Each structure stands twice: as C-alpha cells, then as structure tokens.
Amino acid sequence: FICDGENIKSEIESMPEQYRYSLDRLNEELDELLKLGITNVLLFGIPNHKDEIGSQAYDENGIVQKAVKHIRKNYQDKFLIVTDVCMCEYTSHGHCGILHNHDVDNDKTLEYIAKIALSHAKAGADIIAPSDMMDGRIGKIREVLDNNNFKDIPIMAYSVKYSSAYYGPFRDAADSAPSFGDRKTYQMDFRSYNNFYREVEADTEEGADFIMVKPAMAYLDVIKSVSEVTNLPIVAYNVSGEYSMVKAAAKNNWIDEEKIVMENMYAIKRAGADIIITYHAKDISRWLSK
C-alpha cells in the first residue's frame, strides 16, 4: 500500500504487520523483500486527493505511477510489478467507477479504467490487474494498450470476484469503503453456484492473460471448477479478511500460525491455483528458509 506524504510507515490496525508506505520509505520494504527472495509485488495506491471521477488514478504523477517509476529507477528489473487498476481508492464516493445518480455507469467507467491501465503501462508496470468488475473492461484495456504500443503487457483479470465480507480490512487499509450502498451490482453474488463460467469466458475472449478468483479460502470449489474450464494461469487472492482472522487467532494462541497458513496455502494450490497473492508472503518465506 503506497500513500502520498513523507516519512510514513503506518501499520494498518486491522491487518497486523501490514503497512502503508510513503515513497521515501518504500525502499525499506523492498530491500526486505529482496532479502527474503520475494520479487513479485502488487501495488495499491492511497492518494491524498479524491474526487468523483478518481482523477488521481490516471494522473501520470499519481501515487502508483510514481511508485512504479521509483521501483524501476532504484531496482531496475529486480521486481515484477503488478498494478491494481480500479477507482475505489480514488473516488470520493468509494465506488469502483463513474456514477450516474446512485448507480455506476459501466460503459462510461470503461474509458476511465483504460486510462488508468495505460498510465500504469507508461510508468513501467509489468502486469495490469483490473479489479473493478465492469463488463467489457478487459477488451477495452487490451484495445487501448495495443493501440499505444503496449501489446506485450499482460492483463491479470479479476474475473471471478465476489461481493464478499472478507474484504473488510482491505477497505480500512485503502480507505475505499463505499460512502453509500454496496458493490453487489457489479461484483458477484456468492450464493450463485455457476455464474462464474460466463465471467471467465468473457474475459478470456476479450484477451485476459490470467484468470483470478477472489477471495480464495471460501471459494476453493470455484478455483477447482475454473481450473477445469480454462488453460490460462489461475490466480487466487488470499484476501485481507482471511489474513487478519489467522493473525488474530494466532495472537491469542488459539492456533499454530505457521501450520495454519501453510495448510491454507497448500489447499489453495491443491484446488488448482498457479499463483497465490497473499499478505502472508514474508512469513512464508521466513518459514521456508528454516
């Protein structure tokens, strides 16, 4: 989590051992990651200024764009940089797109999502990861990237993203909770069994290079089902609520943290994930090094 400001390393209360960093202190985290052998990072931005159109999300001097340039300048190609493409951290209303009255305008939002993706590619991102869940955004991003000479930049699609209570701590971390309503009109209904097939099919046809399932632990059945219908790499996002529950239980000595985390990771892998995004990454690296 990268934030505007100076001399900031602020622990996220609901996500123990996770921090917001200002750019001038980001190297502390990056240096530690290199020592642990972790070279893949997913960046989220937290701007000082928010407005109805999320203008800082696609500003060439936005916080994520500056962070990507910073990493490229100071670490060259030591890190593979994935950037989250969404508007919820940048809009004053906390929704993932442009509003029309109290509804998100899907088609209008696509233009903005594509602008964000292009700005990240220009800054030097390796992989673009749109998490907004607007219909048609993979095709629009692919079109804009291709038309601007970024044909080789892959898209990691948040294809199967449920409207989940497991995101609670993340919204605290990113200041991205909606100011009204919820995101059920554009995220998926967890009560539905097979509506993910259409999402996977659409994103694949539009040019996605990775298919993501989010959250992970409560959706192992979905990860397994998706692995049976696509040949694209499958990404599972072990989200903030899943992380924080383990940390809270471990703090109270109710569980063996290392054993629980590793059991969870193998469960995700066994279900069919090729890539796991997790806040436990540093702990896992330390445990494996033993």
Side-chain angles (χ1 to χ4, degrees):
F1 297 99
I2 318 297
C3 62
D4 280 321
E6 295 181 354
N7 194 31
I8 297 172
K9 180 184 178 182
S10 174
E11 187 170 22
I12 299 159
E13 185 176 0
S14 59
M15 296 177 67
E17 300 171 35
Q18 299 298 315
Y19 298 85
R20 295 181 179 185
Y21 290 91
S22 54
L23 277 181
D24 59 338
R25 296 196 62 177
L26 182 57
N27 287 12
E28 298 172 28
E29 176 73 355
L30 297 174
D31 289 344
E32 182 179 8
L33 292 179
L34 286 179
K35 289 178 182 177
L36 291 170
I38 299 170
T39 57
N40 307 310
V41 292
L42 172 58
L43 304 184
F44 294 92
I46 305 152
N48 280 340
H49 172 73
K50 301 188 179 196
D51 54 39
E52 290 195 352
I53 58 172
S55 59
Q56 287 298 298
Y58 43 87
D59 190 317
E60 65 178 21
N61 291 311
I63 186 60
V64 166
Q65 291 83 348
K66 289 191 293 186
V68 173
K69 293 172 186 175
H70 173 90
I71 297 171
R72 283 282 171 256
K73 178 181 178 181
N74 290 279
Y75 296 89
Q76 286 77 49
D77 294 321
K78 291 181 179 179
F79 286 99
L80 183 143
I81 304 172
V82 186
T83 56
D84 174 72
V85 172
C86 194
M87 301 190 74
C88 61
E89 299 106 307
Y90 302 91
T91 54
S92 51
H93 45 73
H95 280 282
C96 299
I98 304 301
L99 295 184
H100 177 69
N101 296 324
H102 269 50
D103 295 317
V104 173
D105 186 328
N106 187 100
D107 293 353
K108 188 173 183 179
T109 297
L110 296 184
E111 302 294 331
Y112 289 82
I113 293 297
K115 286 170 63 176
I116 300 169
L118 180 59
S119 72
H120 290 184
K122 287 180 176 179
D126 293 298
I127 298 175
I128 303 299
S131 61
D132 56 288
M133 286 298 287
M134 298 298 123
D135 292 336
R137 87 265 200 225
I138 303 303
K140 185 64 176 178
I141 290 171
R142 186 74 274 160
E143 175 190 354
V144 169
L145 290 178
D146 288 356
N147 289 341
N148 285 274
N149 298 316
F150 290 106
K151 294 182 179 181
D152 294 331
I153 298 292
I155 300 173
M156 181 183 286
Y158 284 60
S159 300
V160 188
K161 180 180 179 180
Y162 288 89
S163 179
S164 172
Y166 283 100
Y167 304 148
F170 177 92
R171 291 171 181 171
D172 176 34
D175 287 338
S176 61
S179 60
F180 65 89
D182 54 43
R183 296 175 179 145
K184 292 181 179 178
T185 58
Y186 44 96
Q187 294 180 356
M188 295 174 62
D189 188 337
F190 63 82
R191 297 170 297 181
S192 178
Y193 173 69
N194 58 8
N195 59 350
F196 57 82
Y197 287 111
R198 183 165 56 88
E199 301 288 350
V200 171
E201 182 180 36
D203 284 357
T204 302
E205 290 177 352
E206 291 175 26
D209 299 282
F210 304 82
I211 299 295
M212 186 189 296
V213 177
K214 179 185 180 184
M217 292 306 303
Y219 299 88
L220 295 177
D221 61 318
V222 178
I223 295 171
K224 183 64 175 178
S225 295
V226 171
S227 74
E228 294 171 348
V229 298
T230 182
N231 292 320
L232 293 175
I234 297 171
V235 184
Y237 197 146
N238 179 215
V239 299
S240 60
E242 296 169 331
Y243 168 86
S244 295
M245 287 193 296
V246 170
K247 284 293 183 181
K251 185 177 180 180
N252 283 285
N253 295 314
W254 294 340
I255 60 171
D256 183 315
E257 182 178 358
E258 179 179 346
K259 289 181 179 178
I260 287 285
V261 171
M262 295 310 297
E263 187 172 340
N264 286 348
M265 294 303 111
Y266 276 101
I268 297 169
K269 183 70 174 175
R270 194 174 61 245
D274 300 293
I275 298 166
I276 300 172
I277 298 171
T278 179
Y279 301 99
H280 295 290
K282 292 199 293 185
D283 285 334
I284 291 170
S285 180
R286 295 185 188 103
W287 295 329
L288 293 177
S289 70
K290 295 189 299 184

